[in-house]
Amino acid sequence: MRFIDTIQGLDDIFENDIPKGSVVLITGPPGSLKSGLTFSIISKYLEKSSEFGIYVTLEQNKRSHLENMKSMGIELSENLTISDFTDYRLQYDEFSGDLLNLIETNIVQYKHKLGDKFTCLTLDSLGALYSLMDVEPRLMRKRLYHLLEPLRRENLTTFLILEMADPNGPNHDFEGYLADGIIELGVHTKDDSTNRFIRVKKMRASAHSMDPYILTVSDDGLQIYRGTIF
């Protein structure tokens, strides 16, 4: 099973698969299907493999997140565990407020339990993580770097969701520097027609198109196809 076989049309963008162990940044404004795309990729990939993964959600609780996914025709794989903020608070008697430590502990425990069968991780989202932790941005990003490097060594394919509401607002060059791949999602209006789009800005060790493709929600989940966007 390849990551690019999980969504209809994704293999038209890529000539070869997203390399295992990559850190992939999923960016875009509100409503561009960042969570839907990422959840669909990781859940469908795990469903067709004997591997396991964790989806860490910091913006929606588990029930709300699954209801949102189901409304788009995206089902939860039995091999995917969803961890939300409430789960962490219930798991630990004393909540230190250091959410990143809790996430790291969760990952380590999962790795010890499943070993090499644990292959995929999603963090939804970096913006929520930054807002929940009382840490100066420079130190927060340094800690994020020290979290991601061990994940690469463990060959975990990691998807990081980052909302970018204003393309002219604060830049996120640091997150892009950390990532092996950047997949940009967006919403564009042309001639009174509005479409969501997907564009792969970079993916190390993978040949891919850099053109924008239309991203839609169908009865069978997400679909991608070539069209005139801009």
Side-chain angles (χ1 to χ4, degrees):
M1 182 64 177
R2 302 183 302 174
F3 290 110
I4 63 173
D5 294 327
T6 55
I7 297 176
Q8 182 178 336
L10 188 57
D11 60 347
D12 290 335
I13 299 177
F14 288 91
E15 292 185 21
N16 51 293
D17 200 19
I18 297 170
K20 301 288 181 66
S22 296
V23 174
V24 182
L25 188 66
I26 311 291
T27 70
S32 57
L33 300 179
K34 297 182 298 300
S35 296
L37 178 87
T38 308
F39 191 84
S40 185
I41 290 174
I42 191 172
S43 189
K44 289 186 177 182
Y45 172 82
L46 294 173
E47 185 66 27
K48 298 295 184 179
S49 70
S50 59
E51 302 168 15
F52 296 85
I54 299 177
Y55 190 101
V56 179
T57 174
L58 303 175
E59 296 193 349
Q60 286 183 305
N61 62 45
K62 180 177 179 179
R63 179 179 177 181
S64 176
H65 178 78
L66 288 178
E67 287 177 349
N68 185 33
M69 295 300 106
K70 188 175 182 179
S71 71
M72 293 187 286
I74 305 169
E75 299 293 337
L76 171 66
S77 167
E78 293 183 357
N79 292 354
L80 180 59
T81 296
I82 298 181
S83 296
D84 63 33
F85 189 71
T86 303
D87 289 338
Y88 291 126
R89 297 199 65 172
L90 291 174
Q91 184 176 353
Y92 293 86
D93 293 332
E94 294 184 4
F95 180 62
S96 66
D98 191 341
L99 189 56
L100 193 55
N101 276 345
L102 298 182
I103 292 173
E104 291 178 38
T105 299
N106 188 257
I107 293 170
V108 169
Q109 289 176 345
Y110 209 70
K111 184 66 177 178
H112 285 168
K113 178 181 178 181
L114 294 170
D116 291 340
K117 288 189 175 182
F118 174 33
T119 62
C120 298
L121 171 70
T122 295
L123 181 57
D124 185 0
S125 66
L126 287 180
L129 178 65
Y130 294 163
S131 66
L132 288 168
M133 292 187 62
D134 186 20
V135 179
E136 193 271 328
R138 181 180 61 84
L139 296 177
M140 180 68 243
R141 288 170 171 174
K142 183 177 180 180
R143 292 196 56 194
L144 182 62
Y145 172 82
H146 287 292
L147 169 66
L148 295 178
E149 285 309 302
L151 300 184
R152 281 193 177 95
R153 290 195 296 269
E154 295 291 346
N155 206 35
L156 280 173
T157 305
T158 303
F159 294 89
L160 305 175
I161 296 176
L162 178 64
E163 185 163 297
M164 299 181 68
D166 182 4
N168 298 316
N171 65 61
H172 294 280
D173 291 342
F174 176 81
E175 290 84 356
Y177 169 77
L178 285 181
D180 301 297
I182 301 176
I183 298 178
E184 175 193 14
L185 304 183
V187 180
H188 184 73
T189 300
K190 178 183 179 182
D191 299 330
D192 297 324
S193 177
T194 300
N195 290 295
R196 295 185 177 96
F197 68 86
I198 175 173
R199 174 165 49 195
V200 179
K201 299 184 73 173
K202 78 170 183 177
M203 190 66 64
R204 292 171 183 158
S206 178
H208 61 86
S209 170
M210 295 187 69
D211 294 333
Y213 282 65
I214 293 175
L215 175 64
T216 64
V217 180
S218 71
D219 293 338
D220 298 322
L222 303 187
Q223 293 185 358
I224 295 169
Y225 60 94
R226 184 183 289 276
T228 303
I229 304 294
F230 302 109

